[in-house]
Amino acid sequence: MTSVWRTSGWILLGASLILALSLGIRHGFGLFLAPMSSEFGWGREVFAFAIALQNLIWGLAQPFTGALADRFGAAKTVIVGGVLYALGLVLMGFSDSALSLSFSAGLLIGIGLSGTSFSVILGVVGRAVPVEKRSMAMGIAAAAGSFGQFAMLPGTLGLIGWLGWSSALLALGLLVALIVPLVCLLKDNPPPPQAHEQSLGDALREAVGHSGFWLLALGFFVCGFQVVFIGVHLPAYLVDQHLPATVGTTVLALVGLFNVFGTYIAGWLGGRHSKPRLLTTLYLLRAVVIVAFVYSPLSIWSAYAFGMAMGLLWLSTVPLTNGTVATLFGVRNLSMLGGIVFLFHQLGAFLGGWLGGYLYDRTGSYDLVWQISIFLSLAAAVLNWPVREQPVARLQPAGAA
C-alpha cells in the first residue's frame, strides 16, 4: 500500500507541474492582444479569432488525444502535445499576419493543449488514486494549473516589458518544452482491454445515451464561454474603463491565486456532497459576481475584488465535472469521455473569445457579452441540477440497478 501511495504521489506531482506550465502560460495570452494588435494595426477581432480557434481546435482534438491516452498511456500523448505547444509559441513570436497567427496560436497550440491539459492529465490522476480520493486529487492537480496562472501572468508581463512581445513568446516556448522531461513522472500504464470490457464504441454509445452526460457537457459549455472571454478581454476592458494596464494583469493573477483554493475546496467538497448540486451553486455564484462587477461603480479595488471572487469559482467546475463523469462511467475511458465533455467547454470558449472581439469591434463595448455571460450562468445552473450522481447499471452491484 505504501508503494502505491508513493507512486500516486509522484504521478500527482508530475501532473500538477505539467498543468501549471500548460495552463499558466495559456492563461497569459490575453496580455499579447494589445501589443500585437497595435503593432500590426489589427482590430481586436483578429487576435480574438486566433485564440478562439485555439480553443476550438483544442476541444475538437481532445476526444482523440484522450482516447489515445486511455489505450496506450499518457506519456506519448503528452510528449507530442508539449512539442507542438512549444513550436506554436515560437512561431507565434514570428507571426505578422492573421493567417500565421491563426496557424501558430490557433492550430498548433490548440493541438498541443489537447495533449497537455485537463482531460489527459486528470485521466492519469483518476486512474492512479483510490476512488474515495479521486475528487480531491483532481482538485489538487487543477489547483496546480491555477497556481501556474498566478505565477506566470506577472512573469509573462515582465517578459513582454523586458524583451518585447515577440521574444517573450520565444522564451515561453522554451519554458513549455520542460513538459517533455516531466513526462517521466507520469507512470500511466492502462491495463490491456479484457474480453469482458467495453469497446470504444460501446463506451461512446453508453455515454451519449445518458442524459446526465449531455447536461454536464452543456453546462461545461458555459464555463468555457466565461473563462475565455474574461481571460482574453478583461485586461482590455479595464483599460477601456480608464484603469492602468497593470490592473488587468493583477486581476487575472488574483483569479489564478484564488482559484488554487477554489479548485482544491471544490475537489474536497466533491468527495462529500453531490457534485452536480455543487456545480449548480457555482454557476449561480458566477452570475452574482458578474452582475456585481458590471453594474457597480468600477474602481481598482472593485476589479481586484472581482478577480478574487471569480478566482474561487474559475476552474472549480473542472474536478466536479470530471469527477461526475468518472462516477457515472468509471475510469477506463475517462480521458476520452472527459474529452468529449471538454469539447463542449471549448465550443463555448471559441464563442466567448471570438464574440468578445466581434461585438466590441462593432459596438465599441463589451456590455452585450457581459449580459450573455450572466444569462448563460443561470442556464448552466438549471442544466446541472437534475444530473443524478449514480453509476450506470454496468458498474453497480448485481441487483442494485
Side-chain angles (χ1 to χ4, degrees):
M1 179 63 70
T2 301
S3 62
V4 171
W5 277 109
R6 186 179 298 117
T7 299
S8 299
W10 283 112
I11 291 173
L12 186 56
L13 175 62
S16 298
L17 292 173
I18 289 170
L19 285 176
L21 284 170
S22 177
L23 299 179
I25 289 172
R26 175 249 177 188
H27 277 299
F29 286 153
L31 302 178
F32 293 92
L33 185 154
M36 292 188 73
S37 299
S38 176
E39 179 163 333
F40 297 111
W42 298 332
R44 292 185 185 178
E45 186 183 358
V46 172
F47 187 92
F49 177 80
I51 300 302
L53 179 64
Q54 174 193 112
N55 285 280
L56 180 61
I57 295 296
W58 181 2
L60 290 172
Q62 194 67 81
F64 300 100
T65 54
L68 290 173
D70 284 332
R71 287 299 181 269
F72 305 109
K76 295 182 180 66
T77 303
V78 176
I79 288 172
V80 173
V83 170
L84 290 177
Y85 194 165
L87 179 62
L89 284 165
V90 171
L91 294 181
M92 185 179 173
F94 292 105
S95 295
D96 58 2
S97 68
L99 181 61
S100 59
L101 183 65
S102 292
F103 175 74
S104 58
L107 180 63
L108 290 180
I109 295 179
I111 297 174
L113 281 164
S114 75
T116 59
S117 57
F118 285 127
S119 296
V120 170
I121 303 301
L122 293 186
V124 176
V125 174
R127 287 187 285 268
V129 300
V131 62
E132 67 273 10
K133 301 293 184 183
R134 186 183 296 149
S135 180
M136 187 170 68
M138 288 182 174
I140 292 171
S146 301
F147 181 78
Q149 178 183 349
F150 167 69
M152 287 305 305
L153 274 166
T156 300
L157 184 64
L159 284 173
I160 294 172
W162 177 37
L163 301 173
W165 67 263
S166 180
S167 296
L169 286 165
L170 303 184
L172 293 176
L174 293 175
L175 198 57
V176 161
L178 294 175
I179 287 175
V180 175
L182 287 172
V183 169
C184 67
L185 296 175
L186 299 183
K187 299 183 183 301
D188 181 43
N189 296 302
Q194 304 297 318
H196 65 278
E197 286 189 352
Q198 282 184 309
S199 68
L200 194 64
D202 289 338
L204 284 170
R205 283 188 287 272
E206 181 179 67
V208 300
H210 195 291
S211 62
F213 184 77
W214 292 110
L215 293 172
L216 287 169
L218 292 171
F220 220 24
F221 173 95
V222 176
C223 180
F225 182 98
Q226 292 173 332
V227 300
V228 172
F229 165 64
I230 292 170
V232 173
H233 295 284
L234 183 65
Y237 170 77
L238 294 175
V239 170
D240 290 344
Q241 304 302 311
H242 311 294
L243 295 181
T246 54
V247 174
T249 306
T250 303
V251 171
L252 292 182
L254 287 170
V255 168
L257 176 61
F258 278 80
N259 193 42
V260 173
F261 306 106
T263 48
Y264 177 80
I265 293 169
W268 179 80
L269 289 173
R272 290 159 174 78
H273 304 283
S274 166
K275 287 184 277 292
R277 299 299 169 88
L278 289 171
L279 285 167
T280 291
T281 303
L282 283 173
Y283 285 116
L284 286 175
L285 289 173
R286 280 192 186 187
V288 172
V289 169
I290 293 172
V291 167
F293 174 63
V294 174
Y295 294 104
S296 299
L298 182 63
S299 68
I300 291 176
W301 294 108
S302 70
Y304 291 165
F306 173 75
M308 290 184 282
M310 201 68 192
L312 292 172
L313 311 170
W314 190 250
L315 295 179
S316 301
T317 57
V318 173
L320 297 175
T321 302
N322 281 273
T324 304
V325 172
T327 298
L328 294 177
F329 305 107
V331 298
R332 184 65 180 87
N333 296 290
L334 178 57
S335 293
M336 181 195 67
L337 296 179
I340 295 173
V341 173
F342 190 73
L343 168 59
F344 282 80
H345 182 282
Q346 295 308 96
L347 291 173
F350 172 85
L351 189 61
W354 168 74
L355 196 64
Y358 176 84
L359 290 177
Y360 181 88
D361 283 350
R362 280 150 184 79
T363 67
S365 168
Y366 288 115
D367 290 350
L368 181 56
V369 194
W370 285 118
Q371 293 164 9
I372 293 171
S373 294
I374 295 165
F375 170 78
L376 288 176
S377 269
L378 300 176
V382 172
L383 288 167
N384 280 279
W385 182 262
V387 177
R388 295 181 63 197
E389 195 178 1
Q390 178 179 343
V392 294
R394 172 179 57 84
L395 298 177
Q396 296 183 35

